[in-house]
Amino acid sequence: MTSLLFLVLISVCWADPHPDNSSLEHERIIHIQEENGPRLLVVAEQAKIFSQRGGNVTLPCKFYHEHTSIAGSGTHKIRVKWTKLTSDYLKEVDVFVAMGHHRKSYGKYQGRVFLRESSENDASLVITNIMLEDYGRYKCEVIEGLEDDTAVVALNLEGVVFPYSPRLGRYNLNFHEAQQACLDQDSIIASFDQLYEAWRSGLDWCNAGWLSDGSVQYPITKPREPCGGKNTVPGVRNYGFWDKDKSRYDVFCFTSNFNGRFYYLIHPTKLTYDEAVQACLKDGAQIAKVGQIFAAWKLLGYDRCDAGWLADGSVRYPISRPRKRCSPNEAAVRFVGFPDKKHKLYGVYCFRAYN
């Protein structure tokens, strides 16, 4: 009697589709985990990393096999891929890929990222010269043969959230205009996490504004009738998601420290807007932006009771030490308004960048 012996290898298999399979970096990856072997594990030693604009940071990521101290099997090349998750988690933006001796970085990360490789199982990513746009969540994916695993690390930046509306008045920006408005003022559109942290730190603002995920929200620390009702609890009020092209609101921007000097220009006379722009240029600087006055106020404690022109045509002044005639009730960047550029006279705040 003849008997047959069947050897069955049981595996768990799944697939991740990629929108573009025309290159090595965007290939379709089949994940297979063999249950009779040590499983590949990817671990981030810290879930959150804090840094600031202009600094350098390391996003931790290490890989090994379960129940062993071995980094790799030695049979297959290790492929490491870092991507950035968009704020709505619907897409991933390529940052860096490494396989063997091959290395490739993408977009604004070119020339600014590399693997630390302090050991054979170290896939940590070093980002240099941090930019505001680098804020967010990053995914480290390690692939060895038919196995892979991932870990996610959040990069948070020291900074300040501020509400912004243009000269036209409140509720005049669609989502795309809101993004550009923040960029024009040396900032980026804020995330919900950034607005939430600002609310926890005391930010109270009754006008709804766009956030980076396309939602419209506003922070209330002192409930009152015009802002959701005085009997409601403090919190971040959520208007939900609106049409990015047609709906119009204000925006919450986020900025961080800067590499330069922010200052009030001592000048013998008050100035029109055009005169203010020229006065800063003559002093080897540029007229300051709204994000720069907020960063100087929040991060450097800048305090000045003189109203001055800013680049967007607004007039503001920063108060870190509340006192009579200078924001007696709270520390804040006080907003005078958008005066007539040709006839109204004020001082000016300038910014000189360091090389």
Side-chain angles (χ1 to χ4, degrees):
M1 181 177 179
T2 303
S3 62
L4 298 177
L5 178 63
F6 295 92
L7 179 62
V8 180
L9 176 64
I10 301 175
S11 300
V12 178
C13 173
W14 70 96
D16 275 352
H18 287 276
D20 177 13
N21 60 2
S22 61
S23 67
L24 173 66
E25 292 76 15
H26 294 285
E27 64 190 5
R28 184 179 179 87
I29 302 168
I30 304 296
H31 309 264
I32 298 180
Q33 176 190 320
E34 295 190 5
E35 295 188 357
N36 65 340
R39 185 163 63 95
L40 178 68
L41 296 178
V42 175
V43 176
E45 296 164 339
Q46 293 175 262
K48 288 185 179 181
I49 301 295
F50 292 85
S51 188
Q52 57 187 6
R53 177 163 55 174
N56 301 330
V57 71
T58 299
L59 306 183
C61 180
K62 290 190 175 181
F63 60 94
Y64 58 93
H65 283 88
E66 192 176 28
H67 308 309
T68 75
S69 59
I70 301 173
S73 66
T75 306
H76 304 284
K77 283 186 176 181
I78 300 292
R79 180 176 184 265
V80 176
K81 181 176 183 180
W82 280 90
T83 55
K84 184 182 180 186
L85 306 176
T86 56
S87 57
D88 55 12
Y89 296 99
L90 297 179
K91 294 189 298 182
E92 294 181 19
V93 178
D94 290 336
V95 175
F96 184 85
V97 172
M99 179 184 283
H101 297 296
H102 299 286
R103 302 284 190 273
K104 185 172 183 179
S105 53
Y106 296 85
K108 293 183 179 180
Y109 296 96
Q110 292 185 31
R112 297 195 299 123
V113 295
F114 58 90
L115 294 185
R116 181 173 61 180
E117 297 180 296
S118 62
S119 62
E120 62 178 4
N121 68 327
D122 186 8
S124 301
L125 185 73
V126 178
I127 307 178
T128 62
N129 190 24
I130 293 291
M131 303 165 61
L132 292 176
E133 295 86 346
D134 293 339
Y135 166 87
R137 291 176 172 83
Y138 291 79
K139 186 175 79 172
C140 171
E141 181 177 26
V142 179
I143 304 165
E144 183 187 22
L146 297 176
E147 289 192 77
D148 83 342
D149 195 21
T150 63
V152 174
V153 183
L155 173 58
N156 291 344
L157 299 182
E158 250 181 49
V160 56
V161 171
F162 61 93
Y164 186 78
S165 57
R167 174 178 286 274
L168 294 173
R170 70 194 290 261
Y171 296 174
N172 267 290
L173 300 169
N174 67 25
F175 178 77
H176 311 291
E177 292 165 343
Q179 283 183 310
Q180 188 60 50
C182 290
L183 290 174
D184 290 344
Q185 300 310 317
D186 192 41
S187 60
I188 58 172
I189 188 169
S191 70
F192 169 77
D193 289 343
Q194 289 169 332
L195 181 64
Y196 179 77
E197 287 302 316
W199 167 76
R200 289 184 60 189
S201 298
L203 180 61
D204 181 279
W205 197 255
C206 201
N207 291 350
W210 291 104
L211 296 178
S212 60
D213 62 357
S215 66
V216 176
Q217 310 194 36
Y218 64 100
I220 295 296
T221 58
K222 302 183 286 290
R224 51 203 183 274
E225 281 304 330
C227 306
K230 64 180 180 180
N231 296 321
T232 58
V233 297
V236 177
R237 307 275 193 263
N238 190 345
Y239 273 20
F241 295 88
W242 291 81
D243 188 306
K244 291 184 177 181
D245 296 312
K246 297 179 181 179
S247 300
R248 295 188 172 271
Y249 292 95
D250 292 347
V251 62
F252 289 98
C253 303
F254 172 84
T255 192
S256 185
N257 65 320
F258 44 69
N259 185 29
R261 179 190 171 212
F262 173 89
Y263 62 101
Y264 180 83
L265 181 65
I266 303 302
H267 195 274
T269 63
K270 298 297 184 182
L271 308 163
T272 65
Y273 176 80
D274 289 340
E275 290 170 343
V277 171
Q278 292 303 313
C280 287
L281 290 173
K282 188 176 180 180
D283 202 51
Q286 292 183 328
I287 188 169
K289 298 179 178 182
V290 176
Q292 290 161 348
I293 195 173
F294 272 95
W297 164 74
K298 183 70 172 180
L299 304 177
L300 302 178
Y302 194 93
D303 182 280
R304 183 94 193 188
C305 200
D306 295 290
W309 290 106
L310 295 174
D312 67 337
S314 66
V315 172
R316 308 173 195 244
Y317 60 99
I319 298 298
S320 297
R321 302 186 306 277
R323 54 200 182 275
K324 189 176 181 180
R325 298 178 183 172
C326 297
S327 187
N329 298 320
E330 62 177 351
V333 174
R334 308 305 298 180
F335 175 64
V336 176
F338 286 93
D340 185 313
K341 288 183 175 182
K342 293 185 178 180
H343 299 102
K344 295 296 182 178
L345 304 176
Y346 291 95
V348 61
Y349 287 97
C350 303
F351 179 79
R352 183 184 297 127
Y354 296 147
N355 293 329

